[in-house]
Amino acid sequence: MATFPDFNKGLYAPLAEVDPEVQNIIDKETWRQFSGLELIASENLTSRATMEANGSILTNKYSEGLPAARYYGGNEYVDELEVLCQKRALQAFHLDPAKWGVNVQPYSGSTANFAALTALLQPQDRLMGLGLPDGGHLTHGYYTAKKKMTASSIYFQSLPYALDPATQLIDYNGLASLAKIYKPRLLICGASAYPRDWDYKALRTVADDNGAFLMADIAHTSGLVAAGELADPFEYCDVVTTTTHKTLRGPRAGLIFFRKDSDKAKDLEKRVNDAVFPACQGGPHNNTIAGIATALLQACQPSWKAYAKQVIANARTLGQELVAHGYKLQTSGTDNHLVLWDLRPLGLTGSKLEKLCDIVGITINKNAVSGDASAQVPGGIRLGTAALTSRNMLEADMKIVADFLHRAVQLSLLLQKEAGSKLLKDFVRVASVPQEGKEGALQVRTLRDEVRAFARRWPLPGVDVSTLTRPAGIEEDE
Ligand code: PLP
């Protein structure tokens, strides 16, 4: 039996023994995910296999560089892994390896995007992306009148394009006119909060007319694109980036696909690879790459198409049910996994509904809707169905979820009255603490109990829920 010096004794015991504090936090988060309804459009519930790969011994290894061209020894298996991951990424998106390559090392979607900009642009070159208030992402060039908010606007110049206020769809004509004047070097499409599909052909025309690269950031929709349920950006783009943890249902990371046969630049492969390392990153997170590979294997299965179809069917049903309750949706519906719910006609802010939903166990996020007067007070809510679909929910279940949301809105309106002020803190107080002669807080508890009971009827990917018990630190009145 080997003897251990004191400083190595903690290397073998399980987490619960070594660090009960962190274990307890994980247990509480597991309980929260089990007991609530996850409707954040950028989240999903990854598989046990992905979590095992992600939590594996691969975290120990440094492997700066690319397969067979590393700056460290000992990478024979890491090379095998990265090549496998690349192969599966191309396969999942039905790409010909002669025409497309992929870098699987980005730590996240934001770093993937910044590396892509680094590959395609020189400092202070011009880019155009969908404006953040219209559903675009921070990394697509966002800035305000007061501040350049992200590296994409600090190191590059950017001009946002917008939605057509009448239809709330991308204003392709307006974009073409702006591009004609602005002459961007890069046109970015893709969004964080846009419920409709993209016209990549029209965007390619604008890019070509102005000598620009076309890049799609399909972070939100990549799982649906892989399934062939949305238009194919690879047909028209030079570069495609994505996160791996949204509809693609993998671990948290990013991918950059590049065209090997682009007319615009024959060296995109080298430019992208050099931009990821050494320009923007150091050693890849090999444990994450293993998790991505495993998630991609799942996305290559015939059953993936059924999952993607169900995500979309669920989003459609959720949207239709909200409309049936009399609510307004941006673009009146959806083509993908998300709906944007416009609360402004109700006189309710996104912040208040988000807060109340948090209290009752429905996880959503406030979101700007087209025409919002202030970005600080978003007038809507973004809802996505990828995670609930991963818990096996179908259209009939979305009706129940829509009813919960409807009750949450009605309750928020009541609480707003009871609070007697517009302040969020007063709203939270009357929602949380029963007030003499007021109904609101009691109704909050009833709704919370019903949401909990409903949510706990479903499995939670990666977890054996039959063994779950309420962890220390979570109070629940019976
Ligand atoms: N791109 C889009 C369109 C996104 O919606 C997001 C995140 O929500 C990102 C990039 C950034 O991804 P990450 O949070 O992994 O950096």
Side-chain angles (χ1 to χ4, degrees), residues 41-43 106-113 135-140 189-193 215-221 241-246 251-254 382:
S42 50
E43 292 185 15
Y107 303 144
S108 80
S110 300
T111 46
N113 282 348
H137 191 254
L138 287 163
T139 55
H140 300 177
C189 53
S192 298
M215 167 176 140
D217 172 358
I218 57 167
H220 262 262
T221 53
T241 63
T242 182
T243 53
T244 48
H245 45 275
K246 301 185 183 15
R252 314 195 71 77
R382 187 184 64 163

Side-chain angles (χ1 to χ4, degrees), residues 101-142:
V102 60
N103 188 301
V104 300
Q105 296 187 4
Y107 303 144
S108 80
S110 300
T111 46
N113 282 348
F114 194 66
L117 302 193
T118 305
L120 297 173
L121 302 176
Q122 290 298 309
Q124 296 309 325
D125 271 357
R126 293 177 182 183
L127 63 88
M128 288 180 70
L130 180 63
L132 185 88
D134 283 337
H137 191 254
L138 287 163
T139 55
H140 300 177
Y142 184 59

Side-chain angles (χ1 to χ4, degrees), residues 288-348:
T288 308
I289 292 175
I292 300 172
T294 304
L296 286 168
L297 177 66
Q298 294 171 347
C300 290
Q301 305 307 314
S303 57
W304 187 258
K305 194 164 178 71
Y307 169 68
K309 271 183 185 298
Q310 192 63 53
V311 168
I312 296 173
N314 283 353
R316 284 212 176 114
T317 304
L318 185 62
Q320 283 159 3
E321 290 299 310
L322 290 174
V323 169
H325 280 297
Y327 300 116
K328 190 176 165 205
L329 303 184
Q330 189 153 314
T331 78
S332 308
T334 183
D335 293 332
N336 57 31
H337 63 302
L338 69 83
V339 293
L340 263 183
W341 184 6
D342 188 349
L343 301 177
R344 292 170 305 182
L346 304 167
L348 187 65

Side-chain angles (χ1 to χ4, degrees), residues 162-474:
L163 302 180
D164 176 341
T167 59
Q168 299 160 345
L169 300 171
I170 304 289
D171 178 3
Y172 291 99
N173 291 333
L175 154 60
S177 307
L178 282 178
K180 213 169 167 180
I181 299 163
Y182 192 63
K183 294 278 175 241
R185 181 95 187 98
L186 171 66
L187 181 56
I188 304 177
C189 53
S192 298
Y194 185 60
R196 297 297 176 178
D197 208 349
W198 290 78
D199 184 346
Y200 298 109
K201 191 173 177 200
L203 291 158
R204 180 77 257 175
T205 305
V206 176
D208 285 346
D209 286 349
N210 296 284
F213 285 112
L214 180 61
M215 167 176 140
D217 172 358
I218 57 167
H220 262 262
T221 53
S222 52
L224 313 177
V225 170
E229 291 301 308
L230 291 177
D232 181 7
F234 294 94
E235 218 179 307
Y236 296 102
C237 294
D238 302 291
V239 167
V240 177
T241 63
T242 182
T243 53
T244 48
H245 45 275
K246 301 185 183 15
T247 51
L248 201 52
R249 206 162 65 181
R252 314 195 71 77
L255 301 173
I256 308 175
F257 296 88
F258 46 84
R259 206 178 255 286
K260 287 182 174 170
D261 64 346
S262 169
D263 297 335
K264 287 204 54 61
K266 291 288 167 210
D267 57 349
L268 277 185
E269 175 163 16
K270 181 165 167 42
R271 282 161 72 164
V272 168
N273 287 335
D274 288 353
V276 174
F277 172 84
C280 297
Q281 294 193 172
H285 295 176
N286 296 303
N287 52 316
T288 308
I289 292 175
I292 300 172
T294 304
L296 286 168
L297 177 66
Q298 294 171 347
C300 290
Q301 305 307 314
S303 57
W304 187 258
K305 194 164 178 71
Y307 169 68
K309 271 183 185 298
Q310 192 63 53
V311 168
I312 296 173
N314 283 353
R316 284 212 176 114
T317 304
L318 185 62
Q320 283 159 3
E321 290 299 310
L322 290 174
V323 169
H325 280 297
Y327 300 116
K328 190 176 165 205
L329 303 184
Q330 189 153 314
T331 78
S332 308
T334 183
D335 293 332
N336 57 31
H337 63 302
L338 69 83
V339 293
L340 263 183
W341 184 6
D342 188 349
L343 301 177
R344 292 170 305 182
L346 304 167
L348 187 65
T349 61
S351 312
K352 282 190 183 142
L353 187 58
E354 178 189 302
K355 205 74 208 169
L356 180 72
C357 281
D358 232 1
I359 296 171
V360 301
I362 304 174
T363 314
I364 59 178
N365 71 280
K366 55 184 170 294
N367 211 99
V369 274
S370 174
D372 262 347
S374 154
Q376 315 316 321
V377 190
I381 288 287
R382 187 184 64 163
L383 303 168
T385 52
L388 293 188
T389 310
S390 293
R391 289 187 80 178
N392 301 348
M393 293 188 202
L394 305 176
E395 287 96 318
D397 309 304
M398 292 304 110
K399 294 187 180 180
I400 296 170
V401 173
D403 284 347
F404 284 142
L405 288 165
H406 171 53
R407 282 168 62 191
V409 167
Q410 298 310 312
L411 197 41
S412 298
L413 293 171
L414 171 69
L415 291 164
Q416 198 161 256
K417 260 200 210 133
E418 290 185 355
S421 98
K422 292 234 155 192
L423 296 179
L424 189 61
K425 71 172 175 26
D426 293 331
F427 178 85
V428 173
R429 182 176 44 80
V430 294
S432 318
V433 186
Q435 315 281 311
E436 180 81 34
K438 290 182 176 156
E439 266 294 295
L442 296 174
Q443 287 188 30
V444 171
R445 287 183 182 191
T446 308
L447 181 57
R448 183 199 62 192
D449 292 347
E450 285 181 42
V451 168
R452 235 180 229 167
F454 176 72
R456 288 180 186 161
R457 281 177 24 204
W458 303 91
L460 181 67
V463 176
D464 177 359
V465 296
S466 68
T467 63
L468 282 187
T469 50
R470 179 157 53 88
I474 291 195

